[in-house]
Amino acid sequence: MANQKLTREQQTYAVQALACFDSPAVVVAALKKEFGVAVSPQAIECYDPTKKAGRNIAARWKALFEETRKTFLEDTASIAISHRAVRLRALQRMADKAENQGNMALASSLLKQAAEEVGGSYTNRRELTGKDGKDLPVPVSPVTIFQLPDNGRS
């Protein structure tokens, strides 16, 4: 694979992609698709300061990497799949395609997954209610006081 020198824009793209936990192979494919540049995964790994190959990266790239990683970890709202509606639309498309191809087992599995998604199976939220939706009664722990036998020690 021919390694071409990357422009600043391409270097920035690579650093930001690596900071978002993309593998070097994924970044290589993206650079080829977006910019038509052919580079090796080893050349891209040099832009990741968390790897041995990137330990001597320039300060500007290290700062960009750290800022991008911090923003990426804090901002899940910008990730489409973190939203239930997006996941349901994707499941709908997959289920339609599976059904059109005659793969009923996959379609059934996708429909079940969508039902679980809507039903809240994939959340940590739990709501416990008593009869007719009222609050659960607080159990009163009975304290039993009983007299110990004397055993002739008084």
Side-chain angles (χ1 to χ4, degrees), residues 13-34:
Y13 183 90
V15 169
Q16 290 176 330
L18 290 169
C20 293
F21 298 101
D22 285 350
S23 70
V26 170
V27 177
V28 165
L31 283 171
K32 182 143 180 97
K33 182 180 178 188
E34 295 286 321

Side-chain angles (χ1 to χ4, degrees), residues 31-120:
L31 283 171
K32 182 143 180 97
K33 182 180 178 188
E34 295 286 321
F35 300 102
V37 178
V39 292
S40 69
Q42 293 80 8
I44 295 301
E45 199 171 54
C46 293
Y47 292 100
D48 187 346
T50 64
K51 304 279 192 224
K52 186 176 181 181
R55 68 182 177 274
N56 296 327
I57 193 171
R60 68 177 292 156
W61 300 124
K62 187 172 185 174
L64 176 63
F65 181 93
E66 290 169 355
E67 182 60 32
T68 304
R69 169 95 23 120
K70 180 179 174 218
T71 303
F72 178 77
L73 291 174
E74 290 174 352
D75 187 21
T76 59
S78 66
I79 300 171
I81 202 164
S82 69
H83 300 286
R84 180 185 289 181
V86 173
R87 292 191 301 269
L88 287 171
R89 286 184 64 202
L91 286 169
Q92 177 67 49
R93 286 192 304 271
M94 289 185 275
D96 289 344
K97 186 174 182 181
E99 191 173 347
N100 289 338
Q101 292 177 344
N103 191 344
M104 295 305 163
L106 177 59
S108 173
S109 169
L110 291 167
L111 291 173
K112 179 182 178 215
Q113 186 175 347
E116 290 171 347
E117 180 75 39
V118 172

